[in-house]
Amino acid sequence: MRATAVQLRPRAVAAIGVTSVAGLFAFFWPLFISPATGLSHSGDAPLVFAAILIGVLAVVLAEVSDGGLDTKAVAMLGVLSAVGAALRPLGAGTAGLETVFFLLILAGRVFGPGFGFVLGATTLASSALITAGVGPWLPFQMLAAAWVGLGAGLLPRAKGVTEIALLCTYGAVTGLLYGVALNFSFWPFTVQGEESLSFVAGAPVTENLTRFLTFSLATSLGWDIGRSLTNVALIALTGRPVLGALRRAARRASFAAD
Protein backbone atom coordinates (compact mmCIF):
# COMPACT_ATOMS: atom_id res chain seq x y z
CA MET A 1 0.00 0.00 0.00
CA ARG A 2 1.19 3.53 -0.73
CA ALA A 3 -0.49 6.29 1.28
CA THR A 4 -0.81 9.88 0.16
CA ALA A 5 -0.15 12.06 3.17
CA VAL A 6 0.17 15.23 1.07
CA GLN A 7 -2.41 15.77 -1.64
CA LEU A 8 -0.63 17.31 -4.60
CA ARG A 9 -3.07 19.63 -6.30
CA PRO A 10 -2.32 20.94 -9.81
CA ARG A 11 -1.01 24.26 -8.48
CA ALA A 12 1.38 22.46 -6.12
CA VAL A 13 2.54 20.14 -8.91
CA ALA A 14 3.20 23.19 -11.09
CA ALA A 15 5.09 24.89 -8.24
CA ILE A 16 7.26 21.83 -7.69
CA GLY A 17 7.95 21.74 -11.42
CA VAL A 18 8.93 25.43 -11.48
CA THR A 19 11.09 24.95 -8.40
CA SER A 20 12.84 21.97 -9.94
CA VAL A 21 13.55 23.87 -13.17
CA ALA A 22 14.81 26.86 -11.16
CA GLY A 23 16.88 24.49 -9.04
CA LEU A 24 18.48 22.89 -12.07
CA PHE A 25 19.35 26.36 -13.35
CA ALA A 26 20.79 27.32 -9.96
CA PHE A 27 23.01 24.25 -9.97
CA PHE A 28 24.20 24.36 -13.58
CA TRP A 29 24.03 27.98 -14.77
CA PRO A 30 27.86 28.41 -14.81
CA LEU A 31 27.99 26.01 -17.75
CA PHE A 32 25.96 28.36 -19.90
CA ILE A 33 27.03 31.81 -18.72
CA SER A 34 29.12 34.09 -20.89
CA PRO A 35 32.47 35.26 -19.48
CA ALA A 36 31.40 38.81 -20.42
CA THR A 37 28.74 38.84 -17.69
CA GLY A 38 29.51 39.89 -14.15
CA LEU A 39 28.11 36.71 -12.66
CA SER A 40 30.79 34.49 -14.13
CA HIS A 41 33.41 36.31 -12.07
CA SER A 42 31.39 37.14 -8.99
CA GLY A 43 32.01 35.20 -5.81
CA ASP A 44 28.64 36.41 -4.57
CA ALA A 45 26.70 34.69 -7.34
CA PRO A 46 26.08 31.45 -5.37
CA LEU A 47 24.64 33.51 -2.50
CA VAL A 48 22.28 35.25 -4.91
CA PHE A 49 21.00 32.00 -6.28
CA ALA A 50 20.79 30.45 -2.80
CA ALA A 51 18.51 33.33 -1.77
CA ILE A 52 16.36 32.72 -4.84
CA LEU A 53 16.11 29.04 -4.00
CA ILE A 54 14.95 29.79 -0.47
CA GLY A 55 12.18 32.00 -1.84
CA VAL A 56 11.08 29.48 -4.40
CA LEU A 57 11.07 26.67 -1.86
CA ALA A 58 8.94 28.79 0.46
CA VAL A 59 6.41 29.24 -2.32
CA VAL A 60 6.30 25.51 -2.96
CA LEU A 61 5.81 24.66 0.70
CA ALA A 62 2.99 27.20 0.90
CA GLU A 63 1.36 25.76 -2.20
CA VAL A 64 1.65 22.21 -0.91
CA SER A 65 0.18 23.17 2.44
CA ASP A 66 -2.72 25.04 0.82
CA GLY A 67 -5.25 22.42 1.75
CA GLY A 68 -2.97 19.54 0.96
CA LEU A 69 -1.48 19.14 4.43
CA ASP A 70 -3.85 18.26 7.27
CA THR A 71 -2.89 18.19 10.95
CA LYS A 72 -2.05 14.49 10.89
CA ALA A 73 0.31 14.95 7.94
CA VAL A 74 1.91 17.97 9.65
CA ALA A 75 2.42 15.91 12.81
CA MET A 76 3.95 13.04 10.84
CA LEU A 77 6.15 15.50 8.97
CA GLY A 78 7.33 17.03 12.24
CA VAL A 79 8.14 13.67 13.80
CA LEU A 80 10.04 12.33 10.81
CA SER A 81 11.89 15.63 10.29
CA ALA A 82 12.99 15.54 13.92
CA VAL A 83 14.09 11.90 13.67
CA GLY A 84 15.99 12.63 10.46
CA ALA A 85 17.63 15.68 12.03
CA ALA A 86 18.68 13.57 15.01
CA LEU A 87 20.06 10.82 12.79
CA ARG A 88 22.19 13.07 10.62
CA PRO A 89 24.85 13.97 13.22
CA LEU A 90 25.43 10.25 13.91
CA GLY A 91 27.30 9.92 10.64
CA ALA A 92 28.44 13.55 10.28
CA GLY A 93 29.30 12.74 6.67
CA THR A 94 32.58 11.10 7.69
CA ALA A 95 33.78 8.98 4.75
CA GLY A 96 30.32 9.39 3.24
CA LEU A 97 28.58 7.86 6.25
CA GLU A 98 25.28 9.76 6.06
CA THR A 99 22.45 8.26 8.07
CA VAL A 100 19.68 10.65 7.05
CA PHE A 101 18.75 9.49 3.56
CA PHE A 102 17.47 5.96 4.22
CA LEU A 103 14.59 7.27 6.37
CA LEU A 104 13.81 9.95 3.79
CA ILE A 105 13.63 7.30 1.07
CA LEU A 106 11.46 4.92 3.10
CA ALA A 107 9.09 7.71 4.18
CA GLY A 108 8.77 9.01 0.63
CA ARG A 109 8.02 5.48 -0.49
CA VAL A 110 5.21 5.05 2.05
CA PHE A 111 3.66 8.54 2.16
CA GLY A 112 4.04 9.57 -1.47
CA PRO A 113 6.06 12.02 -3.57
CA GLY A 114 4.59 15.24 -2.14
CA PHE A 115 5.36 14.20 1.42
CA GLY A 116 8.84 13.03 0.38
CA PHE A 117 9.57 16.37 -1.30
CA VAL A 118 8.57 18.40 1.75
CA LEU A 119 10.28 16.00 4.17
CA GLY A 120 13.56 16.23 2.26
CA ALA A 121 13.60 20.01 2.55
CA THR A 122 12.49 20.18 6.19
CA THR A 123 14.83 17.41 7.37
CA LEU A 124 17.92 19.08 5.91
CA ALA A 125 16.84 22.49 7.23
CA SER A 126 16.18 21.23 10.76
CA SER A 127 19.39 19.19 10.89
CA ALA A 128 21.37 22.23 9.75
CA LEU A 129 19.95 24.21 12.65
CA ILE A 130 20.94 21.47 15.10
CA THR A 131 24.46 21.06 13.75
CA ALA A 132 25.09 24.77 13.03
CA GLY A 133 25.34 23.84 9.38
CA VAL A 134 23.48 26.85 8.00
CA GLY A 135 25.24 28.46 5.06
CA PRO A 136 24.94 29.23 1.37
CA TRP A 137 25.10 25.51 0.67
CA LEU A 138 21.93 24.74 2.66
CA PRO A 139 19.34 25.62 -0.04
CA PHE A 140 21.15 23.32 -2.47
CA GLN A 141 21.16 20.51 0.11
CA MET A 142 17.46 21.07 0.83
CA LEU A 143 16.50 20.98 -2.82
CA ALA A 144 18.63 17.91 -3.61
CA ALA A 145 17.18 16.04 -0.61
CA ALA A 146 13.66 17.11 -1.65
CA TRP A 147 14.28 15.53 -5.05
CA VAL A 148 15.44 12.31 -3.34
CA GLY A 149 12.19 12.14 -1.31
CA LEU A 150 10.08 13.03 -4.35
CA GLY A 151 11.67 10.29 -6.44
CA ALA A 152 11.17 7.68 -3.73
CA GLY A 153 7.45 8.37 -3.83
CA LEU A 154 7.38 7.94 -7.61
CA LEU A 155 9.04 4.52 -7.70
CA PRO A 156 6.93 1.72 -9.25
CA ARG A 157 4.93 -0.69 -7.12
CA ALA A 158 6.73 -3.71 -5.70
CA LYS A 159 6.44 -6.05 -2.74
CA GLY A 160 8.65 -8.02 -0.39
CA VAL A 161 12.24 -8.64 -1.39
CA THR A 162 11.71 -6.94 -4.75
CA GLU A 163 10.65 -3.72 -3.04
CA ILE A 164 13.68 -3.75 -0.72
CA ALA A 165 15.98 -4.40 -3.71
CA LEU A 166 14.32 -1.55 -5.59
CA LEU A 167 14.79 0.84 -2.68
CA CYS A 168 18.42 -0.25 -2.17
CA THR A 169 19.13 0.43 -5.84
CA TYR A 170 17.45 3.82 -5.59
CA GLY A 171 19.44 4.61 -2.46
CA ALA A 172 22.71 3.70 -4.19
CA VAL A 173 21.98 5.83 -7.27
CA THR A 174 20.71 8.86 -5.36
CA GLY A 175 23.64 8.66 -2.96
CA LEU A 176 25.97 9.23 -5.91
CA LEU A 177 23.80 11.84 -7.63
CA TYR A 178 23.36 13.84 -4.42
CA GLY A 179 27.12 14.14 -4.10
CA VAL A 180 27.55 15.11 -7.75
CA ALA A 181 24.88 17.81 -7.49
CA LEU A 182 26.32 19.30 -4.29
CA ASN A 183 29.83 19.25 -5.75
CA PHE A 184 28.65 21.23 -8.73
CA SER A 185 27.01 23.86 -6.52
CA PHE A 186 30.43 25.07 -5.34
CA TRP A 187 32.98 23.69 -7.80
CA PRO A 188 32.94 26.62 -10.29
CA PHE A 189 33.70 29.12 -7.52
CA THR A 190 36.13 27.41 -5.19
CA VAL A 191 38.60 25.37 -7.24
CA GLN A 192 41.29 27.68 -8.57
CA GLY A 193 44.80 27.19 -9.85
CA GLU A 194 44.44 23.55 -10.90
CA GLU A 195 44.25 23.72 -14.69
CA SER A 196 42.76 20.28 -15.22
CA LEU A 197 40.22 20.62 -12.38
CA SER A 198 39.13 24.26 -12.48
CA PHE A 199 36.02 25.69 -14.07
CA VAL A 200 36.65 27.88 -17.12
CA ALA A 201 33.94 30.46 -17.76
CA GLY A 202 32.82 30.46 -21.39
CA ALA A 203 34.56 27.17 -22.24
CA PRO A 204 32.54 24.51 -24.10
CA VAL A 205 30.12 22.60 -21.87
CA THR A 206 31.81 19.28 -22.64
CA GLU A 207 35.20 20.67 -21.60
CA ASN A 208 33.89 21.95 -18.28
CA LEU A 209 32.00 18.71 -17.64
CA THR A 210 35.21 16.78 -18.27
CA ARG A 211 37.02 19.01 -15.77
CA PHE A 212 34.20 18.52 -13.26
CA LEU A 213 34.28 14.74 -13.72
CA THR A 214 38.04 14.76 -13.07
CA PHE A 215 37.50 16.92 -9.99
CA SER A 216 34.78 14.62 -8.63
CA LEU A 217 36.81 11.46 -9.23
CA ALA A 218 39.85 13.02 -7.55
CA THR A 219 38.13 14.49 -4.52
CA SER A 220 34.73 13.11 -3.58
CA LEU A 221 34.07 9.78 -5.24
CA GLY A 222 35.02 7.92 -2.07
CA TRP A 223 32.55 9.96 -0.02
CA ASP A 224 29.81 9.51 -2.60
CA ILE A 225 30.33 5.74 -2.71
CA GLY A 226 30.30 5.71 1.09
CA ARG A 227 26.96 7.53 1.08
CA SER A 228 25.53 5.04 -1.44
CA LEU A 229 26.75 2.03 0.53
CA THR A 230 25.35 3.51 3.74
CA ASN A 231 21.95 3.92 2.08
CA VAL A 232 22.02 0.35 0.78
CA ALA A 233 23.08 -1.14 4.11
CA LEU A 234 20.52 0.78 6.20
CA ILE A 235 17.65 0.11 3.80
CA ALA A 236 18.55 -3.59 3.58
CA LEU A 237 18.78 -3.93 7.36
CA THR A 238 15.86 -1.76 8.45
CA GLY A 239 13.71 -1.42 5.36
CA ARG A 240 11.14 -4.10 6.12
CA PRO A 241 10.41 -3.16 9.77
CA VAL A 242 10.50 0.60 9.08
CA LEU A 243 8.20 0.28 6.08
CA GLY A 244 5.84 -1.81 8.20
CA ALA A 245 5.82 0.73 11.02
CA LEU A 246 5.25 3.67 8.67
CA ARG A 247 2.42 1.84 6.89
CA ARG A 248 0.73 1.05 10.19
CA ALA A 249 0.99 4.73 11.08
CA ALA A 250 -0.50 5.65 7.70
CA ARG A 251 -3.47 3.31 8.27
CA ARG A 252 -4.10 4.70 11.76
CA ALA A 253 -3.92 8.25 10.41
CA SER A 254 -6.34 7.23 7.63
CA PHE A 255 -4.21 8.77 4.92
CA ALA A 256 -5.65 8.19 1.46
CA ALA A 257 -4.22 5.15 -0.35
CA ASP A 258 -3.52 4.98 -4.07
Side-chain angles (χ1 to χ4, degrees), residues 1 6 12 17 32 40 43 80 85 113 130 147 206 243 248:
M1 181 195 78
V6 176
F32 307 102
S40 62
L80 291 179
I130 292 175
W147 284 334
T206 52
L243 286 173
R248 284 193 296 274

PDB file of all heavy atoms in Angstrom, residues 1 6 12 17 32 40 43 80 85 113 130 147 206 243 248:
ATOM      1  N   MET A   1       0.840  -1.194   0.000  1.00  0.00           N
ATOM      2  CA  MET A   1       0.000   0.000   0.000  1.00  0.00           C
ATOM      3  C   MET A   1       0.873   1.240   0.000  1.00  0.00           C
ATOM      4  O   MET A   1       1.893   1.284   0.663  1.00  0.00           O
ATOM      5  CB  MET A   1      -0.883   0.017   1.260  1.00  0.00           C
ATOM      6  CG  MET A   1      -1.808   1.217   1.331  1.00  0.00           C
ATOM      7  SD  MET A   1      -2.508   1.461   2.995  1.00  0.00           S
ATOM      8  CE  MET A   1      -1.132   2.213   3.842  1.00  0.00           C
ATOM      9  N   VAL A   6       0.256  13.866   1.592  1.00  0.00           N
ATOM     10  CA  VAL A   6       0.170  15.229   1.070  1.00  0.00           C
ATOM     11  C   VAL A   6      -0.500  15.181  -0.292  1.00  0.00           C
ATOM     12  O   VAL A   6       0.041  14.592  -1.229  1.00  0.00           O
ATOM     13  CB  VAL A   6       1.563  15.874   0.947  1.00  0.00           C
ATOM     14  CG1 VAL A   6       1.459  17.258   0.320  1.00  0.00           C
ATOM     15  CG2 VAL A   6       2.229  15.963   2.311  1.00  0.00           C
ATOM     16  N   ALA A  12       0.184  22.896  -6.829  1.00  0.00           N
ATOM     17  CA  ALA A  12       1.384  22.455  -6.120  1.00  0.00           C
ATOM     18  C   ALA A  12       2.315  21.689  -7.058  1.00  0.00           C
ATOM     19  O   ALA A  12       3.542  21.833  -6.986  1.00  0.00           O
ATOM     20  CB  ALA A  12       0.996  21.581  -4.930  1.00  0.00           C
ATOM     21  N   GLY A  17       7.279  21.755 -10.128  1.00  0.00           N
ATOM     22  CA  GLY A  17       7.946  21.742 -11.423  1.00  0.00           C
ATOM     23  C   GLY A  17       8.772  23.003 -11.645  1.00  0.00           C
ATOM     24  O   GLY A  17       9.926  22.926 -12.097  1.00  0.00           O
ATOM     25  N   PHE A  32      26.548  27.673 -18.747  1.00  0.00           N
ATOM     26  CA  PHE A  32      25.963  28.358 -19.896  1.00  0.00           C
ATOM     27  C   PHE A  32      26.142  29.873 -19.846  1.00  0.00           C
ATOM     28  O   PHE A  32      25.589  30.578 -20.669  1.00  0.00           O
ATOM     29  CB  PHE A  32      24.461  28.026 -19.959  1.00  0.00           C
ATOM     30  CG  PHE A  32      24.185  26.550 -19.927  1.00  0.00           C
ATOM     31  CD1 PHE A  32      23.759  25.938 -18.757  1.00  0.00           C
ATOM     32  CD2 PHE A  32      24.392  25.769 -21.050  1.00  0.00           C
ATOM     33  CE1 PHE A  32      23.519  24.562 -18.721  1.00  0.00           C
ATOM     34  CE2 PHE A  32      24.178  24.404 -21.019  1.00  0.00           C
ATOM     35  CZ  PHE A  32      23.743  23.799 -19.855  1.00  0.00           C
ATOM     36  N   SER A  40      29.775  35.532 -13.966  1.00  0.00           N
ATOM     37  CA  SER A  40      30.786  34.493 -14.132  1.00  0.00           C
ATOM     38  C   SER A  40      32.024  34.754 -13.298  1.00  0.00           C
ATOM     39  O   SER A  40      32.803  33.854 -13.060  1.00  0.00           O
ATOM     40  CB  SER A  40      31.187  34.384 -15.605  1.00  0.00           C
ATOM     41  OG  SER A  40      31.746  35.596 -16.043  1.00  0.00           O
ATOM     42  N   GLY A  43      32.059  36.187  -6.873  1.00  0.00           N
ATOM     43  CA  GLY A  43      32.009  35.201  -5.808  1.00  0.00           C
ATOM     44  C   GLY A  43      30.692  35.222  -5.056  1.00  0.00           C
ATOM     45  O   GLY A  43      30.399  34.312  -4.283  1.00  0.00           O
ATOM     46  N   LEU A  80       9.002  12.907  11.675  1.00  0.00           N
ATOM     47  CA  LEU A  80      10.042  12.331  10.811  1.00  0.00           C
ATOM     48  C   LEU A  80      11.164  13.335  10.543  1.00  0.00           C
ATOM     49  O   LEU A  80      12.323  12.943  10.402  1.00  0.00           O
ATOM     50  CB  LEU A  80       9.415  11.851   9.501  1.00  0.00           C
ATOM     51  CG  LEU A  80       8.498  10.635   9.640  1.00  0.00           C
ATOM     52  CD1 LEU A  80       7.901  10.251   8.294  1.00  0.00           C
ATOM     53  CD2 LEU A  80       9.259   9.437  10.221  1.00  0.00           C
ATOM     54  N   ALA A  85      16.649  14.700  11.533  1.00  0.00           N
ATOM     55  CA  ALA A  85      17.632  15.679  12.028  1.00  0.00           C
ATOM     56  C   ALA A  85      18.499  15.084  13.118  1.00  0.00           C
ATOM     57  O   ALA A  85      19.690  15.391  13.214  1.00  0.00           O
ATOM     58  CB  ALA A  85      16.906  16.913  12.550  1.00  0.00           C
ATOM     59  N   PRO A 113       5.051  11.070  -3.089  1.00  0.00           N
ATOM     60  CA  PRO A 113       6.064  12.018  -3.570  1.00  0.00           C
ATOM     61  C   PRO A 113       5.958  13.408  -2.953  1.00  0.00           C
ATOM     62  O   PRO A 113       6.984  14.048  -2.702  1.00  0.00           O
ATOM     63  CB  PRO A 113       5.824  12.059  -5.085  1.00  0.00           C
ATOM     64  CG  PRO A 113       4.418  11.589  -5.271  1.00  0.00           C
ATOM     65  CD  PRO A 113       4.178  10.592  -4.177  1.00  0.00           C
ATOM     66  N   ILE A 130      20.389  22.206  13.964  1.00  0.00           N
ATOM     67  CA  ILE A 130      20.937  21.470  15.103  1.00  0.00           C
ATOM     68  C   ILE A 130      22.458  21.428  15.071  1.00  0.00           C
ATOM     69  O   ILE A 130      23.130  21.558  16.104  1.00  0.00           O
ATOM     70  CB  ILE A 130      20.364  20.036  15.124  1.00  0.00           C
ATOM     71  CG1 ILE A 130      18.864  20.075  15.436  1.00  0.00           C
ATOM     72  CG2 ILE A 130      21.104  19.163  16.145  1.00  0.00           C
ATOM     73  CD1 ILE A 130      18.206  18.722  15.364  1.00  0.00           C
ATOM     74  N   TRP A 147      14.377  16.354  -3.850  1.00  0.00           N
ATOM     75  CA  TRP A 147      14.276  15.526  -5.049  1.00  0.00           C
ATOM     76  C   TRP A 147      14.410  14.040  -4.704  1.00  0.00           C
ATOM     77  O   TRP A 147      13.731  13.198  -5.295  1.00  0.00           O
ATOM     78  CB  TRP A 147      15.358  15.921  -6.052  1.00  0.00           C
ATOM     79  CG  TRP A 147      15.071  17.196  -6.782  1.00  0.00           C
ATOM     80  CD1 TRP A 147      13.844  17.751  -7.032  1.00  0.00           C
ATOM     81  CD2 TRP A 147      16.030  18.099  -7.354  1.00  0.00           C
ATOM     82  NE1 TRP A 147      13.983  18.927  -7.713  1.00  0.00           N
ATOM     83  CE2 TRP A 147      15.301  19.170  -7.939  1.00  0.00           C
ATOM     84  CE3 TRP A 147      17.409  18.112  -7.442  1.00  0.00           C
ATOM     85  CZ2 TRP A 147      15.925  20.231  -8.595  1.00  0.00           C
ATOM     86  CZ3 TRP A 147      18.031  19.165  -8.093  1.00  0.00           C
ATOM     87  CH2 TRP A 147      17.299  20.211  -8.673  1.00  0.00           C
ATOM     88  N   THR A 206      31.156  20.588 -22.776  1.00  0.00           N
ATOM     89  CA  THR A 206      31.805  19.279 -22.645  1.00  0.00           C
ATOM     90  C   THR A 206      33.162  19.393 -21.951  1.00  0.00           C
ATOM     91  O   THR A 206      33.558  18.518 -21.187  1.00  0.00           O
ATOM     92  CB  THR A 206      31.975  18.630 -24.020  1.00  0.00           C
ATOM     93  OG1 THR A 206      32.638  19.572 -24.899  1.00  0.00           O
ATOM     94  CG2 THR A 206      30.626  18.261 -24.616  1.00  0.00           C
ATOM     95  N   LEU A 243       9.337   0.158   6.997  1.00  0.00           N
ATOM     96  CA  LEU A 243       8.197   0.283   6.078  1.00  0.00           C
ATOM     97  C   LEU A 243       6.918  -0.188   6.754  1.00  0.00           C
ATOM     98  O   LEU A 243       5.849   0.430   6.614  1.00  0.00           O
ATOM     99  CB  LEU A 243       8.453  -0.530   4.801  1.00  0.00           C
ATOM    100  CG  LEU A 243       9.465   0.044   3.804  1.00  0.00           C
ATOM    101  CD1 LEU A 243       9.724  -0.962   2.683  1.00  0.00           C
ATOM    102  CD2 LEU A 243       8.981   1.356   3.208  1.00  0.00           C
ATOM    103  N   ARG A 248       1.710   1.129   9.109  1.00  0.00           N
ATOM    104  CA  ARG A 248       0.728   1.045  10.194  1.00  0.00           C
ATOM    105  C   ARG A 248       0.331   2.452  10.646  1.00  0.00           C
ATOM    106  O   ARG A 248      -0.854   2.720  10.904  1.00  0.00           O
ATOM    107  CB  ARG A 248       1.313   0.257  11.368  1.00  0.00           C
ATOM    108  CG  ARG A 248       1.361  -1.243  11.138  1.00  0.00           C
ATOM    109  CD  ARG A 248       1.637  -2.003  12.431  1.00  0.00           C
ATOM    110  NE  ARG A 248       2.951  -1.692  12.978  1.00  0.00           N
ATOM    111  CZ  ARG A 248       4.077  -2.315  12.609  1.00  0.00           C
ATOM    112  NH1 ARG A 248       4.029  -3.288  11.709  1.00  0.00           N
ATOM    113  NH2 ARG A 248       5.237  -1.992  13.152  1.00  0.00           N
TER     114      ARG A 248
END
